[in-house]
Amino acid sequence: MTSPSPGDREKVVSKLPSVLQQDLKIRAAQHNVDIQHAVEAGIRAWRRLGSNLSSVDTAGAKSFATFLPDGQWEEFRTDCASRGVSLIQGLAQSVVMWLETNPAPTAVRPEHPKRIITCNQKGGVGKTAIAAGTGEALAEDADALHPVRISKHFAAALFGGEESSSLDHEDLPGLGLRVLLVDFDPQCHLTKQLGHQPLPIEGDSLTKHMAGEAMGRLADLVVPVEDPRFGDRLHLLPACTDAFLLDVKLSAVRAREAALERALSAIEGDYDAVIIDCPPSLGLSMDAAAYYGRRRQGEAPGNSGVLVVVQAEDSSADAYGLLTSQIEDLRNDMHLELDYLGIVVNHYDARRGYIATSSLSSWMDIKDPRVVGVIGDLKEQKEAVRVKQPLLAYSPRCDQAVGMRALAREIS
C-alpha cells in the first residue's frame, strides 16, 4: 500500500516484526542515517541477491511505514512475487540484510580518559547531582535509545516561559562509555545517593592514597553502580569522612597538586571518563582536583577540564568569581593548560520570577566559559536521592534525565 508524500518519495505501509522495527530504529540512529534510507538500501541489496535469504520469523508482525523512492516499492513487490515470498517476508529479509551489513559501531576509546571536575566553592548548588547525572548519561547502553533534549532549543523554551514538556526531544543511542565517579567530598553525598556506604575511617581510602598512607590497592575500593542500562560501565570510588583531613595531610605532601593524579593513575586507564565530585572548598584539595583536570601533553583542548555548577541567583555568581580566580592563579603559577568545559545552571525554575530569569540571562551572557546545560528544579531528582537510585535509572524519561543526556553530549 502506498500514498503520496512530498518530494520524490512515496509513503509505504506494510508489516514488520516489532523486534526488527526496534533493531532498525536503534541501528539507524547509531549510524546517523534515516530509517527510510536504511530500508531503501536493504531492499536494493536484497533485490541484487541471486537467491533468497533464510526465512525470517514474521509471526506477530505489526504495521510499519516508511518513505521510499518512487517506484521502488512496486518493483520490490514484483520481485517478491517472482521469488515466491510474501511482501512481509521480503521486507523482513531486506531489513535483516541491512542490519547484518551495518553492525553496531564499537565505542571509540579515547587516548586520554576524559576528566571532568565538577566544582563550585558554594555548597547546595547540586554539584553531586550533576556529577552523577553526567556519569550516568555517559555510561548508558549504546544498543538502546534514550530521549535527549535538543540543546539548541532549550534556551529559547526556557526564556519563553514554556513548560518543560514543550522542549524538543530526540531518541538517540546511549554513549556506552566506561565511567568512574569519584566522591571527593568528605560529606559523602554522592556515595550515599547511589546507595553505597562511605568507606570506614579506619580502613583504606582515597585520602590515604593521596597522603602516601595507602593500605591496599585503590581498585579494591571501587564499587559498581548496578543497573541494566549501565551494564558494568559505571563505577564509584566511595568517599570516606577522613577527607575532612585532606588539606592538612596534603600540606605535608611533596608536589601536593599532583596527589590526586598519582592516586588515580593506577585505575584511570580502565575508564573512558573520570568524574570528580568536588567539595565546596577552595583549599588544597581543589588545587589537586583542578590539576588533575589539566590538559595533558597531546590531549585535545576541551577533552578534560572544569565543569562549574551554579544556580540562577546572586550568591552563585559571588562563588563563581572566587573559583575562577583560583583557577586563574593555578594557570599562571603552574603554567597549566586548564580548560573550562562550561557552566551548568542547576535547579532552574522560571516560576521563581525575575531573580531566576534575570540571573539565567546573566549566565547566558557569559561566552567564555559558556552555559552548556540548564537543569530544572523538579521532583524526580529529589525522589531518586530519597530511594538511593541513579536518576537515569529511577526516572529515565523525566526532563532532568533528558537534560543530563544533552549535557553529557555537549561536553563529550
Side-chain angles (χ1 to χ4, degrees):
M1 174 181 173
T2 64
S3 61
S5 69
D8 58 353
R9 288 181 174 265
E10 58 184 357
K11 184 177 181 180
V12 173
V13 180
S14 183
K15 289 186 176 182
L16 197 63
S18 299
V19 172
L20 275 185
Q21 292 191 36
Q22 183 67 6
D23 289 347
L24 176 62
K25 184 177 180 181
I26 293 171
R27 193 71 53 80
Q30 290 173 330
H31 287 279
N32 196 28
V33 299
D34 292 331
I35 290 177
Q36 62 185 6
H37 291 117
V39 175
E40 175 190 348
I43 289 177
R44 192 166 55 243
W46 183 87
R47 294 182 64 203
R48 289 197 298 263
L49 291 175
S51 62
N52 294 334
L53 297 176
S54 299
S55 180
V56 176
D57 183 4
T58 59
K62 296 184 177 181
S63 179
F64 172 75
T66 189
F67 292 91
L68 296 176
D70 282 338
Q72 186 185 46
W73 188 246
E74 288 304 319
E75 293 170 352
F76 177 60
R77 185 193 299 272
T78 300
D79 285 349
C80 287
S82 66
R83 294 188 187 188
V85 300
S86 69
L87 199 59
I88 295 173
Q89 179 63 215
L91 179 60
Q93 290 183 15
S94 299
V95 170
V96 168
M97 187 171 183
W98 186 84
L99 291 170
E100 290 179 347
T101 55
N102 293 271
T106 57
V108 178
R109 303 303 176 194
E111 180 181 355
H112 298 275
K114 175 181 269 306
R115 300 171 312 285
I116 302 172
I117 315 303
T118 56
C119 57
N120 195 337
Q121 182 268 341
K122 183 181 184 300
V125 296
K127 294 185 296 296
T128 296
I130 297 300
T134 303
E136 293 162 24
L138 290 172
E140 275 189 313
D141 187 0
D143 291 324
L145 297 180
H146 314 277
V148 181
R149 178 189 295 162
I150 300 175
S151 59
K152 66 182 179 181
H153 297 299
F154 81 82
L158 287 167
F159 282 123
E162 300 176 25
E163 296 297 323
S164 60
S165 60
S166 68
L167 298 176
D168 290 324
H169 301 157
E170 182 177 2
D171 285 339
L172 296 174
L175 296 172
L177 300 183
R178 302 167 301 182
V179 179
L180 175 65
L181 295 168
V182 178
D183 193 346
F184 199 46
D185 188 341
Q187 298 173 93
C188 308
H189 290 321
L190 179 60
T191 300
K192 296 173 183 176
Q193 288 182 17
L194 293 177
H196 290 274
Q197 292 298 315
L199 297 170
I201 197 166
E202 67 276 5
D204 206 4
S205 67
L206 178 59
T207 296
K208 291 184 174 67
H209 280 258
M210 292 176 65
E213 303 169 356
M215 302 168 66
R217 297 191 319 140
L218 191 66
D220 294 337
L221 304 179
V222 175
V223 295
V225 179
E226 296 180 346
D227 189 270
R229 69 178 49 245
F230 309 128
D232 189 34
R233 294 178 299 275
L234 184 61
H235 293 172
L236 168 71
L237 178 54
C240 177
T241 54
D242 67 356
F244 280 115
L245 305 173
L246 182 57
D247 278 11
V248 174
K249 289 180 177 291
L250 286 180
S251 64
V253 172
R254 186 177 180 182
R256 55 180 176 259
E257 292 83 4
L260 180 59
E261 182 165 312
R262 287 196 298 269
L264 293 178
S265 63
I267 58 175
E268 72 169 26
D270 296 332
Y271 300 96
D272 304 312
V274 179
I275 301 178
I276 311 296
D277 181 29
C278 293
S281 166
L282 295 179
L284 298 179
S285 57
M286 184 60 216
D287 285 349
Y291 184 87
Y292 181 63
R294 81 195 187 286
R295 194 191 314 164
R296 296 175 180 173
Q297 185 174 2
E299 185 174 12
N303 183 65
S304 299
V306 172
L307 185 65
V308 185
V309 183
V310 301
Q311 288 182 319
E313 40 77 44
D314 294 338
S315 60
S316 279
D318 296 336
Y320 172 78
L322 294 172
L323 175 64
T324 53
S325 294
Q326 180 177 8
I327 289 174
E328 288 307 311
D329 288 343
L330 278 171
R331 279 173 161 175
N332 297 328
D333 295 346
M334 303 191 68
H335 307 289
L336 301 182
E337 290 183 309
L338 180 55
D339 299 327
Y340 287 100
L341 298 178
I343 299 170
V344 180
V345 183
N346 196 26
H347 296 163
Y348 180 73
D349 187 347
R351 294 173 299 179
R352 293 186 179 130
Y354 175 74
I355 291 178
T357 56
S358 61
S359 294
L360 178 59
S361 180
S362 297
W363 289 119
M364 290 290 189
D365 287 340
I366 300 175
K367 304 304 180 186
D368 185 19
R370 64 186 178 87
V371 171
V372 292
V374 177
I375 306 297
D377 187 12
L378 303 172
K379 64 182 178 64
E380 287 84 1
Q381 177 65 56
K382 299 179 181 68
E383 292 171 352
V385 169
R386 174 61 62 88
V387 298
K388 302 187 184 307
Q389 290 184 19
L391 171 66
L392 272 65
Y394 173 75
S395 185
R397 303 193 69 85
C398 75
D399 188 62
Q400 289 165 318
V402 169
M404 293 292 186
R405 295 188 187 101
L407 169 61
R409 282 166 169 77
E410 195 72 20
I411 64 174
S412 64

